Amino acid sequence: MENVAFHELLEAAPDGIMVVGDGGTILFVNRQVERIFGYARAELLGQTVDRLVPARYRDAHRTRRTAFSTEPGPRATQAGMTFRALRKNTSEFDAEISVSSVESPEGTRVIVVLRDVSERTRQEQMRQEQFARLREGLLRRMALRQRTNADVPDGPAGVFRWRALELDPIRRHVSIAGITLNLRRLEYRLIATFLEHPETVFTRDELLHLVWGLASDRKQKRTVDTHVRRLRERLGEHARAIETVHGVGYRLRASE
């Protein structure tokens, strides 16, 4: 009865589970493995796990598999590894696996737990591409302003200033009329972004990337608004230095 319950537990697991024997022979797969790879169970049992790896990676995969299975003594679980996997329809995807081994009367058995992380990989790639587009557009606009000499700071060399508001990026120091502002890390990065590029209009997406290192997200955009509001409160009478550009984002005005 306990064996039946355990078997059902494996079948109901949200991740793919395989048991692999000597030579990489597949001895057991659960329903998730069938779903992930597109094979019926009977097509996998008795085959080697190598068929689930693209041909160009099989030699390296076989070497790692052999090294793991022949390592003497207790073997620690190897978790969070990512490899390129191959479906029955020949499409490829990124799979994250955790591997451990147990000793049985029949020999060493390797337990593989895997999940399809191709969507996570796709989202990360989209995020990186979005960051690259934001950075490229921002650099173009900054370069244009530099050519028109519109964003030259009016303070001492290396110091950026708006009226009595001053930023020394070397000392990471912000002050108003000589009085130091004790800013939190994100507040400093936000005011530094504005002061170093006055009159540059930053979208909320750009600020999310430059200050927070985050991708665009509707909820995260509210974070930008919240921090701008708090920064204005810290600036007191100089709060109007940060101007809201309706429908776009924010900028630091170079003059009154």
Side-chain angles (χ1 to χ4, degrees), residues 159-176:
V159 174
F160 298 84
R161 178 179 293 161
W162 186 89
R163 296 190 66 190
L165 181 63
E166 187 173 279
L167 165 74
D168 183 341
I170 303 299
R171 298 165 55 203
R172 296 181 66 83
H173 179 271
V174 179
S175 62
I176 295 179

Side-chain angles (χ1 to χ4, degrees), residues 118-134:
S118 53
E119 179 61 22
R120 187 176 73 190
T121 302
R122 188 182 71 84
Q123 292 291 339
E124 176 62 20
Q125 183 178 358
M126 290 177 59
R127 187 175 73 87
Q128 293 298 331
E129 291 174 353
Q130 181 186 49
F131 282 179
R133 289 195 298 269
L134 287 174

Side-chain angles (χ1 to χ4, degrees), residues 22 41 48 56 91 93 95 107 152 159 168 180 195 224:
D22 294 337
R41 190 167 314 203
T48 68
R56 63 188 182 279
S91 64
F93 66 98
V152 177
V159 174
D168 183 341
T180 299
L195 279 168
V224 175

Side-chain angles (χ1 to χ4, degrees), residues 131-150:
F131 282 179
R133 289 195 298 269
L134 287 174
R135 186 184 299 111
E136 182 180 355
L138 181 59
L139 290 175
R140 280 201 303 267
R141 290 193 285 117
M142 288 179 177
L144 178 62
R145 297 211 64 81
Q146 288 172 353
R147 287 199 298 270
T148 59
N149 204 34

